[in-house]
Amino acid sequence: MEIEAKFAVEDVAAFQKLQAVDHIAGFALSAHQVQQVNDTYMDTEERLILASGYACRQRETESEVIINLKGLGRAEGPIHRRKELEVGLPAYQPPAKWPESPVRDIVLQLIGESPLVPLFDIQQTRVFRRMSQGELLIAEMSLDNVHIIIGETFHSHFELEVEIAPQGTASDMAAIVTYLQDEWNLRPESRAKFQQALAFLDEDLPSGNILTPQERALCVQIAKRNDLYGRRARGLLLLDEGLTQQEAAQRTDRTARTVRRWQRGFREKRLGAFPLRVLKEIHQSSAVILPEMPGKEPQKPKQGGASEPQPEPQPLKALFKRYIVDRAHARAVADHALALFDPFGPLHGLPPERRSLLETAALVHNIGLASEADSHHKVGRDILLTHPPQELNEEERLMVALITYLHRKQMTSKKLDKKASKAPFNDLPQPAQEEAVALSALVRVADGLDYSQTQSSKLGEITPQKKVINIEVTGPYAAIDAARAQEKSDLWQLLFKRKLRFKPAHVENDLIPYPEEARAAEAAIELIPEELPEHPNISADDTMAEAARKTFSFHFQHMLYHESGTREGEDIEELHDMRVTTRRMRAAFRVFNDYLDMKRMKPIRKGAKRTCGKLGNVRDLDVFWEKTQRYI
């Protein structure tokens, strides 16, 4: 994961002054190291790599050629956060001849047999300096004189980049960013060099500023379809080229009103204006993103009948390659799961030989992610039923598929019973099914412990208490990972009635690119009660104000408890229970009206009313749906 701050340097004078300083934000700067960097960005003629959200860079060094595959990550002000993979070559070769690596697998999956062609070159003279505090390396700073070369055209500008080092913290990065903005008046640069070069590459095209380069690349693929979605994509491309709505309507044989509707829908939903299945079909037909070939999702096994597909076992290594598994994240989740298995043994009661099955389940838990992120637990289940790991026996294969199916969505007793009772999992013997569910509880927590996808969080001290087990999480992203592990401990608590409480160590030093996430994560941990109270614990000698406080606290905890299930929308009772708590809070306002300062309570009372109203609308639909189903 690459995390850096980027700033535009307006002129050569500021660029030279920045080279001359000895300190920035109180951190000492090392002596200059001047580097010459030569990059060529590559893609297919149809820009299939760009359409899939990546940039492919070839960097020449004195000893080798390095191929980098960079995600087109998000930027928050000057802070850029994106995934980056690389592979080294002795000299440039076509992707099919690259060494086995995630970069090779992904690029071949994206481009199929299409050749890579150069888009543009970026040459940089980089002044590199280290930022330190005493013996600690805090960050690395580079001042770049950038030259973008596109054919015969030439563009140049200056940039400053700061990449935080492992010993650096979020507060260090914040101090550096604030200093550069306040003291040097530097403007945050939200675009990567690749995106800036793309803008120059496409600037000669007449444009209505409708599409981003990535959206344009995808619309080019969709426009090949001979249906209404292909026509819509062609219309958007025409608008992006600068044609009027009337001209685009004539070229697509539609009315100007229809073209206006296309444009309005795209501005509101972007690529969401096209159905997900259309985007998936485009990806599949051009070998982009979805690994299953030749363009079909794994077929779901049907119950009974001669047409039921037979499983085709494959070695784990082949499954990782075929479905583009993020092996670093998978390994981190497996390590966390194994680290939890032994100390939690007295509670889960699983036999020691299940450790190896737990490891395998953790390694494949995200196997469906590259195919369909939003429902990857279901896709992963189907993949593992169609292509089970060759190293497992028949019972273990079903167990691993069930663990994958259970690892993502928030769990209640009803959901658990429903999912585990589906075919083919109902063929599992009861002891094996119970073991699979217990293993899934461990995988869920372990997956949360690498939610940051940095493989940096580690388990610290584990302290069992009477009603709760306190688990310390260390590392630069501990706050985010601990909060996610806390959320995903729901299945564990459901099974073993023992609360897990994950606490990040040294939160004030966490290296988090967006500090507000850390604060929200820590607050989320504190809001979760160790166990849901059964009554408000009001005593006869409480004042009315204290009785009110206990009553509101009691109902508020119950409301929070059912919130996640309400948002997920799979169990209608979750929303019903949350609505009941809000109605009881509103009733409590009437009971305590004469004993509270209702002027100060007005915003809270109004919020409870608004929440209750929103929940009531959805509850009415749930009841209507339930009655309709009963009538049918």
Side-chain angles (χ1 to χ4, degrees):
M1 182 67 69
E2 183 182 53
I3 302 168
E4 61 186 9
K6 294 171 68 72
F7 294 91
V9 181
E10 297 299 335
D11 52 44
V12 67
F15 189 75
Q16 291 172 344
K17 287 179 182 178
L18 282 163
Q19 292 183 52
V21 298
D22 295 325
H23 290 79
I24 283 182
F27 301 114
L29 296 175
S30 67
H32 303 80
Q33 294 181 26
V34 180
Q35 304 170 344
Q36 296 297 327
V37 181
N38 299 305
D39 297 329
T40 299
Y41 284 85
M42 303 177 296
D43 207 333
T44 64
E45 290 286 355
E46 294 181 313
R47 300 191 187 178
L48 294 175
I49 295 177
L50 172 63
S52 299
Y54 293 98
C56 183
R57 185 185 73 191
Q58 171 191 328
R59 172 167 290 180
E60 295 183 13
T61 69
E62 294 180 357
S63 58
E64 63 177 345
V65 171
I66 299 174
I67 305 295
N68 293 84
L69 193 64
K70 290 173 169 275
L72 301 181
R74 59 179 180 173
E76 292 286 336
I79 304 293
H80 292 246
R81 184 174 186 262
R82 58 193 175 185
K83 276 199 168 185
E84 181 176 4
L85 302 170
E86 72 174 45
V87 63
L89 314 172
Y92 180 73
Q93 297 172 310
K97 296 184 178 180
W98 294 352
E100 270 200 33
S101 62
V103 175
R104 177 182 182 273
D105 295 344
I106 294 174
V107 168
L108 288 177
Q109 195 70 45
L110 300 181
I111 69 173
E113 298 182 0
S114 302
L116 289 179
V117 296
L119 295 176
F120 45 78
D121 295 319
I122 298 181
Q123 297 178 357
Q124 303 173 70
T125 301
R126 170 166 286 179
V127 179
F128 176 81
R129 305 182 75 180
R130 293 179 176 84
M131 306 178 72
S132 58
Q133 188 174 53
E135 298 296 320
L136 290 178
L137 175 63
I138 301 300
E140 295 175 340
M141 183 182 82
S142 60
L143 285 158
D144 299 336
N145 186 356
V146 183
H147 306 284
I148 299 171
I149 304 168
I150 303 172
E152 300 296 323
T153 62
F154 182 90
H155 307 271
S156 62
H157 65 276
F158 300 107
E159 277 191 14
L160 181 150
E161 295 183 357
V162 177
E163 185 171 354
I164 204 74
Q167 294 99 327
T169 67
S171 58
D172 294 334
M173 177 65 97
I176 294 168
V177 167
T178 301
Y179 184 88
L180 292 172
Q181 288 180 307
D182 294 349
E183 300 298 325
W184 286 86
N185 294 319
L186 295 186
R187 174 174 58 83
E189 179 54 75
S190 60
R191 296 180 301 167
K193 295 184 182 77
F194 170 75
Q195 293 166 315
Q196 296 176 61
L198 272 181
F200 289 125
L201 181 64
D202 294 338
E203 69 178 358
D204 293 333
L205 297 174
S207 177
N209 295 319
I210 302 296
L211 306 170
T212 67
Q214 184 182 358
E215 289 167 345
R216 187 182 304 115
L218 266 170
C219 281
V220 167
Q221 299 299 313
I222 299 172
K224 296 176 182 179
R225 297 171 62 97
N226 188 25
D227 60 11
L228 62 93
Y229 302 116
R231 190 177 291 110
R232 179 184 298 176
R234 291 192 289 275
L236 291 171
L237 288 168
L238 291 169
L239 292 171
D240 191 59
E241 291 173 9
L243 273 68
T244 66
Q245 292 175 347
Q246 189 65 46
E247 290 168 335
Q250 292 172 355
R251 296 275 291 272
T252 57
D253 194 24
R254 283 294 180 269
T255 65
R257 181 178 179 182
T258 297
V259 174
R260 281 196 296 274
R261 177 167 52 81
W262 290 345
Q263 186 172 2
R264 183 174 63 251
F266 185 81
R267 281 176 173 163
E268 291 174 356
K269 301 179 181 178
R270 308 307 298 178
L271 289 173
F274 295 100
L276 180 60
R277 63 175 179 82
V278 171
L279 297 176
K280 286 168 59 179
E281 288 169 11
I282 292 299
H283 286 318
Q284 290 166 333
S285 64
S286 51
V288 179
I289 293 294
L290 296 179
E292 188 68 28
M293 301 297 289
K296 292 184 179 180
E297 288 189 37
Q299 189 174 1
K300 295 182 182 181
K302 299 177 183 177
Q303 297 184 42
S307 62
E308 185 174 346
Q310 294 301 310
E312 300 175 11
Q314 293 190 7
L316 274 175
K317 188 175 181 181
L319 289 173
F320 292 156
K321 182 177 179 180
R322 180 173 186 174
Y323 295 103
I324 317 178
V325 172
D326 183 344
R327 300 189 194 190
H329 172 65
R331 185 66 258 170
V333 173
D335 290 343
H336 286 313
L338 294 173
L340 293 169
F341 185 88
D342 292 333
F344 289 179
L347 288 173
H348 60 62
L350 293 164
E353 54 268 24
R354 286 307 188 195
R355 289 185 94 257
S356 61
L357 185 63
L358 174 64
E359 182 176 18
T360 300
L363 289 172
V364 300
H365 78 285
N366 262 0
I367 198 168
L369 188 62
S371 299
E372 190 171 332
D374 288 343
S375 57
H376 66 271
H377 60 304
K378 297 178 182 177
V379 176
R381 169 202 63 192
D382 297 337
I383 288 172
L384 292 169
L385 291 173
T386 308
H387 302 298
Q390 200 173 68
E391 295 83 351
L392 305 179
N393 62 38
E394 188 173 348
E395 181 179 273
E396 291 171 335
R397 292 170 184 174
L398 280 178
M399 292 175 70
V400 166
L402 178 57
I403 292 168
T404 297
Y405 185 34
L406 297 178
H407 95 270
R408 181 168 179 252
K409 296 286 188 178
Q410 185 159 8
M411 205 57 58
T412 64
S413 297
K414 290 182 180 179
K415 289 183 196 174
L416 182 60
D417 293 342
K418 182 179 178 181
K419 291 176 184 292
S421 63
K422 286 185 176 180
F425 304 127
N426 54 5
D427 292 338
L428 277 171
Q430 189 64 26
Q433 190 177 107
E434 291 174 357
E435 289 181 354
V437 173
L439 291 170
S440 182
L442 292 171
V443 172
R444 283 175 62 79
V445 172
D447 184 41
L449 288 168
D450 192 42
Y451 183 58
S452 64
Q453 300 274 319
T454 61
Q455 295 80 59
S456 61
S457 293
K458 306 295 180 187
L459 290 177
E461 187 176 357
I462 298 176
T463 311
Q465 295 180 349
K466 185 176 181 181
K467 295 183 178 180
V468 65
I469 301 175
N470 291 307
I471 304 163
E472 183 183 57
V473 182
T474 65
Y477 293 86
I480 286 177
D481 292 339
R484 186 61 172 174
Q486 188 71 59
E487 290 178 25
K488 300 196 76 169
S489 66
D490 55 339
L491 180 55
W492 173 273
Q493 185 177 355
L494 187 66
L495 296 176
F496 304 110
K497 311 303 180 187
R498 188 81 173 272
K499 186 76 175 178
L500 303 180
R501 179 175 284 270
F502 292 88
K503 291 285 290 183
H506 310 302
V507 173
E508 68 275 8
N509 293 326
D510 280 353
L511 170 56
I512 297 170
Y514 312 106
E516 65 275 10
E517 291 188 13
R519 291 193 294 271
E522 183 67 5
I525 293 173
E526 296 301 329
L527 279 174
I528 301 171
E530 291 188 8
E531 58 183 36
L532 204 58
E534 296 181 2
H535 45 75
N537 288 319
I538 297 174
S539 61
D541 55 355
D542 281 340
T543 63
M544 289 298 284
E546 178 64 10
R549 186 194 66 78
K550 289 181 177 180
T551 300
F552 286 125
S553 175
F554 171 78
H555 292 305
F556 185 60
Q557 288 184 76
H558 279 256
M559 190 180 85
L560 290 180
Y561 183 81
H562 295 290
E563 181 183 359
S564 57
T566 298
R567 289 184 181 278
E568 218 159 276
E570 291 189 3
D571 184 351
I572 63 174
E573 293 305 315
E574 291 287 325
L575 185 140
H576 172 258
D577 292 343
M578 184 175 179
R579 182 171 177 245
V580 166
T581 63
T582 58
R583 294 182 69 182
R584 288 174 178 170
M585 274 197 282
R586 294 188 66 198
F589 276 111
R590 293 192 292 272
V591 172
F592 295 108
N593 184 74
D594 295 336
Y595 305 96
L596 301 174
D597 183 349
M598 296 311 294
K599 187 174 181 180
R600 294 183 64 185
M601 297 290 287
K602 185 177 179 180
I604 303 172
R605 189 172 191 172
K606 187 175 179 180
K609 180 181 179 181
R610 184 170 58 248
T611 303
C612 192
K614 295 290 186 183
L615 295 174
N617 292 336
V618 186
R619 177 61 182 169
D620 289 345
L621 291 174
D622 281 344
V623 172
F624 174 73
W625 177 254
E626 195 172 40
K627 289 181 177 178
T628 303
Q629 291 301 303
R630 193 178 304 127
Y631 175 80
I632 291 172

